[in-house]
Amino acid sequence: MKRYGKETAIDGLDLRIKEGELFGFLGPNGAGKTTAVRVISTLTGFSEGRVTVGGHDITKEPKEAKRLMGVIQQHISLDKDLTVEENMMHHAMMHKIPAKERRARIDALAGHVGLKEYMGRTINSLSGGWKKRAAIVCSLIPEPRVLFLDEPTAGLDIQARRLIWDLIRKLNEGGTTIFLTSHYIEEVEVLCGTVGIIDQGRLIAHGTPAELRERVGPVAVEYPDADRVTQYRYFPSRGEAEAFASSLGGPHGALIRDTCLEDCFVELTGRKVEDG
């Protein structure tokens, strides 16, 4: 539990993530996603409860827990006046990486994400997508077992977003456990094998995307009501959905489609993901 004065930002969040998972954390702005990341990654304290990372209690063994983690926050914290390479070297030294290992790690990671030709450019001269790649590389220099990505593609164009998606997949395939927060439904649906939905500081749903869709109903029907406002109904089978759509009549018809995670969120919370 995390409180700010009388306000409760996280309320009894019971969350278990397996090693090697690519876990997606969905919720509207202000739901507690970023606060949860900051608590788990030891960037802020909490009021009640217990948090362990890799078997280490973050209160009793903070140094051991921190050694396992890398964190990319929404706002990039690299030195904008330094070059990409200088930022990476700075991070390597801060994490006490032996001098003889720094260059090898940096070269390997920069090559992995296509940054080698940008090493001499200042952070301030890069586009948003390349800045994000540089930040991810810096977080990977100490070889974390768990990587927290808080809104990693916020503000990026679709091409840059997809490049970041490819990088996230590669990292996870290499064995890194990834905790991804986002309010982009399609991002979580495309990337994540397990999803948690948080609302008003509470975990209201947890499972695979397929399990969450099954919980709501795997087939959706969109149709306009008498006031031309779109309504949604969910059914366990396409046959039942088709029968319902046929019963509606009217000149405007209905759309039958597969249920998506956005449907799950709205059905479970009554709110759109982008709502504050």
Side-chain angles (χ1 to χ4, degrees), residues 6 37 63 104 114 137 143 148 159-160 185 188 200 216 226 245 264:
K6 295 182 179 179
V37 170
K63 291 183 179 179
V137 166
E143 299 180 339
F148 294 91
Q159 185 176 12
I185 287 288
V188 171
Q200 298 181 355
V216 170
C264 297

mmCIF file with all atom_site columns, all heavy atoms in Angstrom, residues 6 37 63 104 114 137 143 148 159-160 185 188 200 216 226 245 264:
data_model
loop_
_atom_site.group_PDB
_atom_site.id
_atom_site.type_symbol
_atom_site.label_atom_id
_atom_site.label_alt_id
_atom_site.label_comp_id
_atom_site.label_asym_id
_atom_site.label_entity_id
_atom_site.label_seq_id
_atom_site.pdbx_PDB_ins_code
_atom_site.Cartn_x
_atom_site.Cartn_y
_atom_site.Cartn_z
_atom_site.occupancy
_atom_site.B_iso_or_equiv
_atom_site.pdbx_formal_charge
_atom_site.auth_seq_id
_atom_site.auth_comp_id
_atom_site.auth_asym_id
_atom_site.auth_atom_id
_atom_site.pdbx_PDB_model_num
ATOM 1   N N   . LYS A 1 6   ? -3.766  11.705  2.784   1.00 0.00 ? 6   LYS A N   1
ATOM 2   C CA  . LYS A 1 6   ? -5.014  10.963  2.896   1.00 0.00 ? 6   LYS A CA  1
ATOM 3   C C   . LYS A 1 6   ? -5.339  10.184  1.627   1.00 0.00 ? 6   LYS A C   1
ATOM 4   O O   . LYS A 1 6   ? -6.254  9.364   1.614   1.00 0.00 ? 6   LYS A O   1
ATOM 5   C CB  . LYS A 1 6   ? -6.165  11.927  3.217   1.00 0.00 ? 6   LYS A CB  1
ATOM 6   C CG  . LYS A 1 6   ? -6.043  12.603  4.577   1.00 0.00 ? 6   LYS A CG  1
ATOM 7   C CD  . LYS A 1 6   ? -7.237  13.502  4.846   1.00 0.00 ? 6   LYS A CD  1
ATOM 8   C CE  . LYS A 1 6   ? -7.140  14.161  6.216   1.00 0.00 ? 6   LYS A CE  1
ATOM 9   N NZ  . LYS A 1 6   ? -8.308  15.059  6.482   1.00 0.00 ? 6   LYS A NZ  1
ATOM 10  N N   . VAL A 1 37  ? 5.561   0.994   -10.172 1.00 0.00 ? 37  VAL A N   1
ATOM 11  C CA  . VAL A 1 37  ? 6.920   0.785   -10.676 1.00 0.00 ? 37  VAL A CA  1
ATOM 12  C C   . VAL A 1 37  ? 7.940   1.427   -9.751  1.00 0.00 ? 37  VAL A C   1
ATOM 13  O O   . VAL A 1 37  ? 8.978   0.836   -9.434  1.00 0.00 ? 37  VAL A O   1
ATOM 14  C CB  . VAL A 1 37  ? 7.061   1.335   -12.105 1.00 0.00 ? 37  VAL A CB  1
ATOM 15  C CG1 . VAL A 1 37  ? 8.528   1.353   -12.541 1.00 0.00 ? 37  VAL A CG1 1
ATOM 16  C CG2 . VAL A 1 37  ? 6.255   0.499   -13.080 1.00 0.00 ? 37  VAL A CG2 1
ATOM 17  N N   . LYS A 1 63  ? 20.172  -3.297  -1.556  1.00 0.00 ? 63  LYS A N   1
ATOM 18  C CA  . LYS A 1 63  ? 21.304  -3.336  -2.482  1.00 0.00 ? 63  LYS A CA  1
ATOM 19  C C   . LYS A 1 63  ? 21.252  -4.567  -3.367  1.00 0.00 ? 63  LYS A C   1
ATOM 20  O O   . LYS A 1 63  ? 21.483  -4.504  -4.581  1.00 0.00 ? 63  LYS A O   1
ATOM 21  C CB  . LYS A 1 63  ? 22.622  -3.299  -1.709  1.00 0.00 ? 63  LYS A CB  1
ATOM 22  C CG  . LYS A 1 63  ? 22.905  -1.970  -1.030  1.00 0.00 ? 63  LYS A CG  1
ATOM 23  C CD  . LYS A 1 63  ? 24.252  -1.989  -0.340  1.00 0.00 ? 63  LYS A CD  1
ATOM 24  C CE  . LYS A 1 63  ? 24.542  -0.655  0.327   1.00 0.00 ? 63  LYS A CE  1
ATOM 25  N NZ  . LYS A 1 63  ? 25.871  -0.662  1.029   1.00 0.00 ? 63  LYS A NZ  1
ATOM 26  N N   . ALA A 1 104 ? 33.580  -3.439  -24.073 1.00 0.00 ? 104 ALA A N   1
ATOM 27  C CA  . ALA A 1 104 ? 32.973  -4.615  -24.696 1.00 0.00 ? 104 ALA A CA  1
ATOM 28  C C   . ALA A 1 104 ? 31.455  -4.612  -24.510 1.00 0.00 ? 104 ALA A C   1
ATOM 29  O O   . ALA A 1 104 ? 30.696  -4.890  -25.457 1.00 0.00 ? 104 ALA A O   1
ATOM 30  C CB  . ALA A 1 104 ? 33.577  -5.889  -24.101 1.00 0.00 ? 104 ALA A CB  1
ATOM 31  N N   . GLY A 1 114 ? 21.390  -1.008  -32.829 1.00 0.00 ? 114 GLY A N   1
ATOM 32  C CA  . GLY A 1 114 ? 21.643  -0.160  -33.990 1.00 0.00 ? 114 GLY A CA  1
ATOM 33  C C   . GLY A 1 114 ? 22.101  1.247   -33.680 1.00 0.00 ? 114 GLY A C   1
ATOM 34  O O   . GLY A 1 114 ? 21.878  2.175   -34.468 1.00 0.00 ? 114 GLY A O   1
ATOM 35  N N   . VAL A 1 137 ? 19.784  1.113   -23.465 1.00 0.00 ? 137 VAL A N   1
ATOM 36  C CA  . VAL A 1 137 ? 21.143  0.561   -23.430 1.00 0.00 ? 137 VAL A CA  1
ATOM 37  C C   . VAL A 1 137 ? 21.823  0.906   -22.108 1.00 0.00 ? 137 VAL A C   1
ATOM 38  O O   . VAL A 1 137 ? 22.459  0.047   -21.477 1.00 0.00 ? 137 VAL A O   1
ATOM 39  C CB  . VAL A 1 137 ? 21.981  1.071   -24.617 1.00 0.00 ? 137 VAL A CB  1
ATOM 40  C CG1 . VAL A 1 137 ? 23.467  0.780   -24.399 1.00 0.00 ? 137 VAL A CG1 1
ATOM 41  C CG2 . VAL A 1 137 ? 21.520  0.411   -25.911 1.00 0.00 ? 137 VAL A CG2 1
ATOM 42  N N   . GLU A 1 143 ? 23.657  -5.312  -16.757 1.00 0.00 ? 143 GLU A N   1
ATOM 43  C CA  . GLU A 1 143 ? 23.059  -6.624  -17.016 1.00 0.00 ? 143 GLU A CA  1
ATOM 44  C C   . GLU A 1 143 ? 21.963  -6.990  -16.009 1.00 0.00 ? 143 GLU A C   1
ATOM 45  O O   . GLU A 1 143 ? 22.041  -8.006  -15.302 1.00 0.00 ? 143 GLU A O   1
ATOM 46  C CB  . GLU A 1 143 ? 24.148  -7.706  -17.036 1.00 0.00 ? 143 GLU A CB  1
ATOM 47  C CG  . GLU A 1 143 ? 25.188  -7.476  -18.134 1.00 0.00 ? 143 GLU A CG  1
ATOM 48  C CD  . GLU A 1 143 ? 26.261  -8.540  -18.168 1.00 0.00 ? 143 GLU A CD  1
ATOM 49  O OE1 . GLU A 1 143 ? 26.461  -9.230  -17.138 1.00 0.00 ? 143 GLU A OE1 1
ATOM 50  O OE2 . GLU A 1 143 ? 26.903  -8.693  -19.225 1.00 0.00 ? 143 GLU A OE2 1
ATOM 51  N N   . PHE A 1 148 ? 12.312  -2.621  -15.860 1.00 0.00 ? 148 PHE A N   1
ATOM 52  C CA  . PHE A 1 148 ? 11.051  -1.897  -15.763 1.00 0.00 ? 148 PHE A CA  1
ATOM 53  C C   . PHE A 1 148 ? 11.007  -0.842  -16.860 1.00 0.00 ? 148 PHE A C   1
ATOM 54  O O   . PHE A 1 148 ? 11.892  0.012   -16.951 1.00 0.00 ? 148 PHE A O   1
ATOM 55  C CB  . PHE A 1 148 ? 10.924  -1.209  -14.394 1.00 0.00 ? 148 PHE A CB  1
ATOM 56  C CG  . PHE A 1 148 ? 10.817  -2.168  -13.240 1.00 0.00 ? 148 PHE A CG  1
ATOM 57  C CD1 . PHE A 1 148 ? 11.949  -2.609  -12.575 1.00 0.00 ? 148 PHE A CD1 1
ATOM 58  C CD2 . PHE A 1 148 ? 9.578   -2.637  -12.827 1.00 0.00 ? 148 PHE A CD2 1
ATOM 59  C CE1 . PHE A 1 148 ? 11.858  -3.496  -11.519 1.00 0.00 ? 148 PHE A CE1 1
ATOM 60  C CE2 . PHE A 1 148 ? 9.474   -3.529  -11.768 1.00 0.00 ? 148 PHE A CE2 1
ATOM 61  C CZ  . PHE A 1 148 ? 10.616  -3.958  -11.116 1.00 0.00 ? 148 PHE A CZ  1
ATOM 62  N N   . GLN A 1 159 ? 6.464   4.325   -36.247 1.00 0.00 ? 159 GLN A N   1
ATOM 63  C CA  . GLN A 1 159 ? 7.671   3.632   -36.684 1.00 0.00 ? 159 GLN A CA  1
ATOM 64  C C   . GLN A 1 159 ? 8.641   3.441   -35.523 1.00 0.00 ? 159 GLN A C   1
ATOM 65  O O   . GLN A 1 159 ? 9.191   2.349   -35.325 1.00 0.00 ? 159 GLN A O   1
ATOM 66  C CB  . GLN A 1 159 ? 8.354   4.408   -37.816 1.00 0.00 ? 159 GLN A CB  1
ATOM 67  C CG  . GLN A 1 159 ? 9.559   3.678   -38.399 1.00 0.00 ? 159 GLN A CG  1
ATOM 68  C CD  . GLN A 1 159 ? 10.159  4.418   -39.586 1.00 0.00 ? 159 GLN A CD  1
ATOM 69  O OE1 . GLN A 1 159 ? 9.829   5.569   -39.837 1.00 0.00 ? 159 GLN A OE1 1
ATOM 70  N NE2 . GLN A 1 159 ? 11.033  3.759   -40.316 1.00 0.00 ? 159 GLN A NE2 1
ATOM 71  N N   . ALA A 1 160 ? 8.851   4.500   -34.749 1.00 0.00 ? 160 ALA A N   1
ATOM 72  C CA  . ALA A 1 160 ? 9.740   4.407   -33.591 1.00 0.00 ? 160 ALA A CA  1
ATOM 73  C C   . ALA A 1 160 ? 9.182   3.437   -32.555 1.00 0.00 ? 160 ALA A C   1
ATOM 74  O O   . ALA A 1 160 ? 9.931   2.675   -31.934 1.00 0.00 ? 160 ALA A O   1
ATOM 75  C CB  . ALA A 1 160 ? 9.937   5.786   -32.965 1.00 0.00 ? 160 ALA A CB  1
ATOM 76  N N   . ILE A 1 185 ? -3.257  0.113   -25.435 1.00 0.00 ? 185 ILE A N   1
ATOM 77  C CA  . ILE A 1 185 ? -3.779  -1.250  -25.406 1.00 0.00 ? 185 ILE A CA  1
ATOM 78  C C   . ILE A 1 185 ? -3.073  -2.140  -26.414 1.00 0.00 ? 185 ILE A C   1
ATOM 79  O O   . ILE A 1 185 ? -2.675  -3.265  -26.104 1.00 0.00 ? 185 ILE A O   1
ATOM 80  C CB  . ILE A 1 185 ? -5.284  -1.242  -25.698 1.00 0.00 ? 185 ILE A CB  1
ATOM 81  C CG1 . ILE A 1 185 ? -6.054  -0.705  -24.492 1.00 0.00 ? 185 ILE A CG1 1
ATOM 82  C CG2 . ILE A 1 185 ? -5.784  -2.649  -26.015 1.00 0.00 ? 185 ILE A CG2 1
ATOM 83  C CD1 . ILE A 1 185 ? -6.108  -1.645  -23.331 1.00 0.00 ? 185 ILE A CD1 1
ATOM 84  N N   . VAL A 1 188 ? 0.433   -3.530  -25.355 1.00 0.00 ? 188 VAL A N   1
ATOM 85  C CA  . VAL A 1 188 ? 0.398   -4.642  -24.404 1.00 0.00 ? 188 VAL A CA  1
ATOM 86  C C   . VAL A 1 188 ? -0.130  -5.901  -25.085 1.00 0.00 ? 188 VAL A C   1
ATOM 87  O O   . VAL A 1 188 ? 0.383   -7.003  -24.873 1.00 0.00 ? 188 VAL A O   1
ATOM 88  C CB  . VAL A 1 188 ? -0.457  -4.272  -23.182 1.00 0.00 ? 188 VAL A CB  1
ATOM 89  C CG1 . VAL A 1 188 ? -0.682  -5.478  -22.286 1.00 0.00 ? 188 VAL A CG1 1
ATOM 90  C CG2 . VAL A 1 188 ? 0.214   -3.151  -22.398 1.00 0.00 ? 188 VAL A CG2 1
ATOM 91  N N   . GLN A 1 200 ? -7.672  2.714   -9.909  1.00 0.00 ? 200 GLN A N   1
ATOM 92  C CA  . GLN A 1 200 ? -7.783  3.341   -8.596  1.00 0.00 ? 200 GLN A CA  1
ATOM 93  C C   . GLN A 1 200 ? -6.918  2.629   -7.563  1.00 0.00 ? 200 GLN A C   1
ATOM 94  O O   . GLN A 1 200 ? -7.314  2.419   -6.419  1.00 0.00 ? 200 GLN A O   1
ATOM 95  C CB  . GLN A 1 200 ? -9.250  3.395   -8.156  1.00 0.00 ? 200 GLN A CB  1
ATOM 96  C CG  . GLN A 1 200 ? -10.109 4.237   -9.085  1.00 0.00 ? 200 GLN A CG  1
ATOM 97  C CD  . GLN A 1 200 ? -11.558 4.322   -8.666  1.00 0.00 ? 200 GLN A CD  1
ATOM 98  O OE1 . GLN A 1 200 ? -11.987 3.674   -7.720  1.00 0.00 ? 200 GLN A OE1 1
ATOM 99  N NE2 . GLN A 1 200 ? -12.321 5.145   -9.368  1.00 0.00 ? 200 GLN A NE2 1
ATOM 100 N N   . VAL A 1 216 ? -14.538 -11.760 -20.312 1.00 0.00 ? 216 VAL A N   1
ATOM 101 C CA  . VAL A 1 216 ? -15.568 -10.818 -20.753 1.00 0.00 ? 216 VAL A CA  1
ATOM 102 C C   . VAL A 1 216 ? -16.509 -11.473 -21.750 1.00 0.00 ? 216 VAL A C   1
ATOM 103 O O   . VAL A 1 216 ? -17.725 -11.256 -21.733 1.00 0.00 ? 216 VAL A O   1
ATOM 104 C CB  . VAL A 1 216 ? -14.902 -9.567  -21.380 1.00 0.00 ? 216 VAL A CB  1
ATOM 105 C CG1 . VAL A 1 216 ? -15.941 -8.681  -22.061 1.00 0.00 ? 216 VAL A CG1 1
ATOM 106 C CG2 . VAL A 1 216 ? -14.161 -8.786  -20.313 1.00 0.00 ? 216 VAL A CG2 1
ATOM 107 N N   . ALA A 1 226 ? -30.832 3.721   -30.329 1.00 0.00 ? 226 ALA A N   1
ATOM 108 C CA  . ALA A 1 226 ? -31.788 4.635   -30.962 1.00 0.00 ? 226 ALA A CA  1
ATOM 109 C C   . ALA A 1 226 ? -31.242 6.049   -31.093 1.00 0.00 ? 226 ALA A C   1
ATOM 110 O O   . ALA A 1 226 ? -31.651 6.811   -31.978 1.00 0.00 ? 226 ALA A O   1
ATOM 111 C CB  . ALA A 1 226 ? -33.095 4.635   -30.167 1.00 0.00 ? 226 ALA A CB  1
ATOM 112 N N   . ALA A 1 245 ? -27.112 -10.051 -33.157 1.00 0.00 ? 245 ALA A N   1
ATOM 113 C CA  . ALA A 1 245 ? -27.029 -9.017  -34.183 1.00 0.00 ? 245 ALA A CA  1
ATOM 114 C C   . ALA A 1 245 ? -28.222 -9.086  -35.122 1.00 0.00 ? 245 ALA A C   1
ATOM 115 O O   . ALA A 1 245 ? -28.777 -8.051  -35.526 1.00 0.00 ? 245 ALA A O   1
ATOM 116 C CB  . ALA A 1 245 ? -25.722 -9.162  -34.958 1.00 0.00 ? 245 ALA A CB  1
ATOM 117 N N   . CYS A 1 264 ? -12.088 -5.450  -22.598 1.00 0.00 ? 264 CYS A N   1
ATOM 118 C CA  . CYS A 1 264 ? -11.965 -6.016  -21.257 1.00 0.00 ? 264 CYS A CA  1
ATOM 119 C C   . CYS A 1 264 ? -11.863 -4.911  -20.216 1.00 0.00 ? 264 CYS A C   1
ATOM 120 O O   . CYS A 1 264 ? -12.523 -4.958  -19.176 1.00 0.00 ? 264 CYS A O   1
ATOM 121 C CB  . CYS A 1 264 ? -10.736 -6.922  -21.172 1.00 0.00 ? 264 CYS A CB  1
ATOM 122 S SG  . CYS A 1 264 ? -10.795 -8.360  -22.261 1.00 0.00 ? 264 CYS A SG  1
#
